[in-house]
Amino acid sequence: MRYPTLSRSRTENLAHRLVAGGPDPNWELEREWAGSGPDVDLSPLREALEAMRAAHDEGEAATAEELEGRFAGDVHRALRDLPIEILDDPGFWRYLSLAEFWWFVRLREGGPIARGNVMTYVDGGRECVPLRMFLRAQAIRKGDDYSLAGALPRATDFWRSHVLRVNTGTAPQLARSLARLQLETRMVSEEIRPLARELNRLWSNIVFHVYEEEDCDEVLRDLYEKRSR
């Protein structure tokens, strides 16, 4: 399958041009292609982004953070069946960040971008906005149910620090258990950080990937109750 990509240097140049208010790039000229065969079909992703843009324009979400959680599942659903070599290519996520998601990247990370930090959010790493939406949804997916991705209000640090940057994000049953616990308890940062540290240490003795969800619930409940005593 053939798919569009951007190199890091080209992404940096285009991103700074967009931040400065320059004209929209001609993506037919700017993008490069990788792979072979038929072109990747991005129409499902564009439909999801159109719905996301409409929800924003109509005021259906109070904040950009809420939009990110609410539509993470739609982004994952649109891309999840692509070949792994595409999903593992940072150049593909760079292209999506600028060519498809730029309006939302700027909305979501306007503060850091205004201070000169744009590459963090478009360069294909874990803070790259479309990739982190995809990974958030993947972390909690159960069949076609992505509801937990948008269930927690004001949860930016929860997802970044306690799911996506650590092993928890690789075990959906554990990520779902942690998200449910946080939804129930609404732990503040000072409460969840020590619990998350203890959970991370348990990975040295427990293979959470083979745990049932009920077992994950029990482990997390025990950790929470110990921290609450």
Side-chain angles (χ1 to χ4, degrees), residues 38-205:
D39 290 353
V40 64
D41 181 11
L42 293 180
S43 58
L45 177 66
R46 291 176 181 135
E47 290 174 7
L49 285 170
E50 286 176 8
M52 188 175 176
R53 188 67 176 262
H56 170 258
D57 292 346
E58 294 166 13
E60 294 179 13
T63 66
E65 181 181 353
E66 290 181 18
L67 277 175
E68 181 170 345
R70 176 178 167 183
F71 285 91
D74 293 330
V75 169
H76 188 274
R77 190 179 291 110
L79 299 173
R80 67 192 184 192
D81 293 327
L82 294 182
I84 192 64
E85 60 266 25
I86 299 179
L87 297 176
D88 276 351
D89 189 339
F92 176 64
W93 295 102
R94 294 187 194 112
Y95 174 80
L96 294 185
S97 296
L98 294 187
E100 306 291 346
F101 279 82
W102 175 247
W103 71 270
F104 183 65
V105 173
R106 193 159 194 174
L107 176 72
R108 181 68 173 96
E109 302 295 348
I113 289 173
R115 295 189 292 272
N117 182 10
V118 60
M119 287 300 288
T120 296
Y121 305 105
V122 300
D123 192 27
R126 283 186 175 266
E127 285 299 312
C128 169
V129 172
L131 178 56
R132 79 187 189 205
M133 291 179 71
F134 181 90
L135 292 174
R136 180 197 292 205
Q138 181 168 273
I140 55 78
R141 175 190 177 193
K142 189 171 187 177
D144 208 40
D145 180 5
Y146 295 99
S147 56
L148 281 170
L152 294 167
R154 298 179 298 282
T156 297
D157 185 63
F158 172 83
W159 291 106
R160 292 179 183 177
S161 300
H162 307 312
V163 178
L164 299 184
R165 292 177 180 171
V166 293
N167 286 330
T168 299
T170 68
Q173 64 273 40
L174 181 61
R176 288 193 296 270
S177 292
L178 183 60
R180 285 195 303 271
L181 178 65
Q182 179 63 0
L183 185 61
E184 175 189 342
T185 62
R186 304 299 172 93
M187 289 177 282
V188 297
S189 296
E190 291 75 14
E191 294 172 316
I192 195 171
R193 285 174 183 166
L195 183 148
R197 284 195 295 269
E198 291 186 34
L199 178 61
N200 293 336
R201 284 195 288 268
L202 288 178
W203 277 90
S204 61
N205 299 312

Side-chain angles (χ1 to χ4, degrees), residues 7-17 98 118-119 122:
S7 68
R8 191 181 193 282
S9 59
R10 184 165 295 186
T11 299
E12 186 167 16
N13 178 276
L14 291 168
H16 287 295
R17 190 195 312 174
L98 294 187
V118 60
M119 287 300 288
V122 300

